[in-house]
Amino acid sequence: MASSKEYLNFILEQLSGLEEITYKPMMGEFIIYYRGKIVGGIYDDRLLVKPVKSAISYMPTAPYELPYEGAKGMLLVDEVDNKDFLAGLFNAMYSELPTPKPKKKNNSLNP
């Protein structure tokens, strides 16, 4: 089941206190970025985040769920109605998230 645009908009509104929240549609779901780093995503109308140490500490009882078949488990965020909780979670996670690799330029004219 794909995620709805309505749920995406709800989550984006809940994250509106943070700067540089962006998303990218991916096969019916949405990858969520915070200041250029992937924090998690919206899968089947669920907000899932990467299970970095700070997220596990911030949400010690959060269950692991699969975003899709064959994927690694991610943490389910239950408190999506709490803007302060979400902002604190994303800020706690930021320093542990990997920096994205630079995109390779596709220059097919030069061998």
mmCIF file of all heavy atoms in Angstrom, residues 21-22 30 32 34 44 48 76 82 86 95 110:
data_model
loop_
_atom_site.group_PDB
_atom_site.id
_atom_site.type_symbol
_atom_site.label_atom_id
_atom_site.label_comp_id
_atom_site.label_asym_id
_atom_site.label_seq_id
_atom_site.Cartn_x
_atom_site.Cartn_y
_atom_site.Cartn_z
ATOM 1 N N ILE A 21 13.646 20.680 6.086
ATOM 2 C CA ILE A 21 12.989 19.384 5.954
ATOM 3 C C ILE A 21 12.565 19.270 4.491
ATOM 4 O O ILE A 21 11.878 20.145 3.971
ATOM 5 C CB ILE A 21 11.740 19.270 6.857
ATOM 6 C CG1 ILE A 21 12.135 19.239 8.325
ATOM 7 C CG2 ILE A 21 10.910 18.043 6.492
ATOM 8 C CD1 ILE A 21 12.788 17.964 8.788
ATOM 9 N N THR A 22 13.011 18.229 3.842
ATOM 10 C CA THR A 22 12.628 17.986 2.449
ATOM 11 C C THR A 22 12.227 16.526 2.320
ATOM 12 O O THR A 22 12.447 15.729 3.235
ATOM 13 C CB THR A 22 13.782 18.309 1.473
ATOM 14 O OG1 THR A 22 14.930 17.540 1.828
ATOM 15 C CG2 THR A 22 14.141 19.795 1.503
ATOM 16 N N PHE A 30 7.749 8.005 0.680
ATOM 17 C CA PHE A 30 8.462 9.284 0.735
ATOM 18 C C PHE A 30 9.663 9.172 1.658
ATOM 19 O O PHE A 30 9.534 8.753 2.807
ATOM 20 C CB PHE A 30 7.531 10.394 1.252
ATOM 21 C CG PHE A 30 6.295 10.553 0.424
ATOM 22 C CD1 PHE A 30 5.106 9.963 0.811
ATOM 23 C CD2 PHE A 30 6.321 11.283 -0.761
ATOM 24 C CE1 PHE A 30 3.954 10.094 0.047
ATOM 25 C CE2 PHE A 30 5.181 11.419 -1.528
ATOM 26 C CZ PHE A 30 3.991 10.824 -1.133
ATOM 27 N N ILE A 32 12.375 11.062 3.874
ATOM 28 C CA ILE A 32 12.414 12.335 4.586
ATOM 29 C C ILE A 32 13.871 12.715 4.860
ATOM 30 O O ILE A 32 14.644 11.905 5.385
ATOM 31 C CB ILE A 32 11.647 12.257 5.925
ATOM 32 C CG1 ILE A 32 10.211 11.801 5.708
ATOM 33 C CG2 ILE A 32 11.711 13.596 6.674
ATOM 34 C CD1 ILE A 32 9.329 12.769 4.976
ATOM 35 N N TYR A 34 16.519 15.665 6.593
ATOM 36 C CA TYR A 34 16.677 16.773 7.530
ATOM 37 C C TYR A 34 18.059 17.352 7.311
ATOM 38 O O TYR A 34 19.056 16.654 7.483
ATOM 39 C CB TYR A 34 16.501 16.291 8.969
ATOM 40 C CG TYR A 34 16.709 17.354 10.010
ATOM 41 C CD1 TYR A 34 16.204 18.642 9.841
ATOM 42 C CD2 TYR A 34 17.401 17.091 11.177
ATOM 43 C CE1 TYR A 34 16.388 19.616 10.794
ATOM 44 C CE2 TYR A 34 17.586 18.051 12.148
ATOM 45 C CZ TYR A 34 17.081 19.316 11.942
ATOM 46 O OH TYR A 34 17.260 20.305 12.891
ATOM 47 N N ASP A 44 3.722 3.205 4.003
ATOM 48 C CA ASP A 44 2.376 2.738 4.351
ATOM 49 C C ASP A 44 1.741 3.633 5.421
ATOM 50 O O ASP A 44 1.171 3.153 6.395
ATOM 51 C CB ASP A 44 2.401 1.285 4.846
ATOM 52 C CG ASP A 44 2.892 0.331 3.770
ATOM 53 O OD1 ASP A 44 2.678 0.615 2.573
ATOM 54 O OD2 ASP A 44 3.497 -0.699 4.118
ATOM 55 N N LEU A 48 8.743 6.172 9.833
ATOM 56 C CA LEU A 48 9.810 5.286 10.307
ATOM 57 C C LEU A 48 11.124 6.045 10.218
ATOM 58 O O LEU A 48 11.360 6.772 9.254
ATOM 59 C CB LEU A 48 9.889 4.020 9.454
ATOM 60 C CG LEU A 48 8.626 3.161 9.354
ATOM 61 C CD1 LEU A 48 8.867 1.972 8.427
ATOM 62 C CD2 LEU A 48 8.169 2.692 10.713
ATOM 63 N N LEU A 76 9.516 2.692 14.448
ATOM 64 C CA LEU A 76 8.215 3.311 14.235
ATOM 65 C C LEU A 76 8.061 4.473 15.204
ATOM 66 O O LEU A 76 8.233 4.313 16.414
ATOM 67 C CB LEU A 76 7.097 2.297 14.470
ATOM 68 C CG LEU A 76 5.673 2.850 14.404
ATOM 69 C CD1 LEU A 76 5.338 3.326 12.995
ATOM 70 C CD2 LEU A 76 4.677 1.812 14.881
ATOM 71 N N ASN A 82 2.966 15.055 18.306
ATOM 72 C CA ASN A 82 3.718 15.916 19.200
ATOM 73 C C ASN A 82 4.880 16.576 18.449
ATOM 74 O O ASN A 82 5.928 15.960 18.241
ATOM 75 C CB ASN A 82 4.226 15.071 20.378
ATOM 76 C CG ASN A 82 4.909 15.883 21.439
ATOM 77 O OD1 ASN A 82 5.431 16.964 21.200
ATOM 78 N ND2 ASN A 82 4.940 15.335 22.647
ATOM 79 N N LEU A 86 8.923 15.351 17.933
ATOM 80 C CA LEU A 86 9.522 15.095 16.615
ATOM 81 C C LEU A 86 10.751 15.965 16.385
ATOM 82 O O LEU A 86 11.774 15.492 15.882
ATOM 83 C CB LEU A 86 8.489 15.325 15.505
ATOM 84 C CG LEU A 86 7.353 14.308 15.431
ATOM 85 C CD1 LEU A 86 6.355 14.719 14.364
ATOM 86 C CD2 LEU A 86 7.874 12.908 15.172
ATOM 87 N N SER A 95 23.392 14.347 14.171
ATOM 88 C CA SER A 95 24.850 14.164 14.140
ATOM 89 C C SER A 95 25.256 12.720 13.836
ATOM 90 O O SER A 95 26.363 12.479 13.362
ATOM 91 C CB SER A 95 25.476 14.627 15.456
ATOM 92 O OG SER A 95 25.020 13.814 16.512
ATOM 93 N N ASN A 110 32.683 11.757 -22.449
ATOM 94 C CA ASN A 110 34.099 11.471 -22.201
ATOM 95 C C ASN A 110 34.243 10.061 -21.649
ATOM 96 O O ASN A 110 33.602 9.716 -20.674
ATOM 97 C CB ASN A 110 34.681 12.469 -21.186
ATOM 98 C CG ASN A 110 34.715 13.876 -21.751
ATOM 99 O OD1 ASN A 110 34.821 14.050 -22.949
ATOM 100 N ND2 ASN A 110 34.642 14.857 -20.875
#
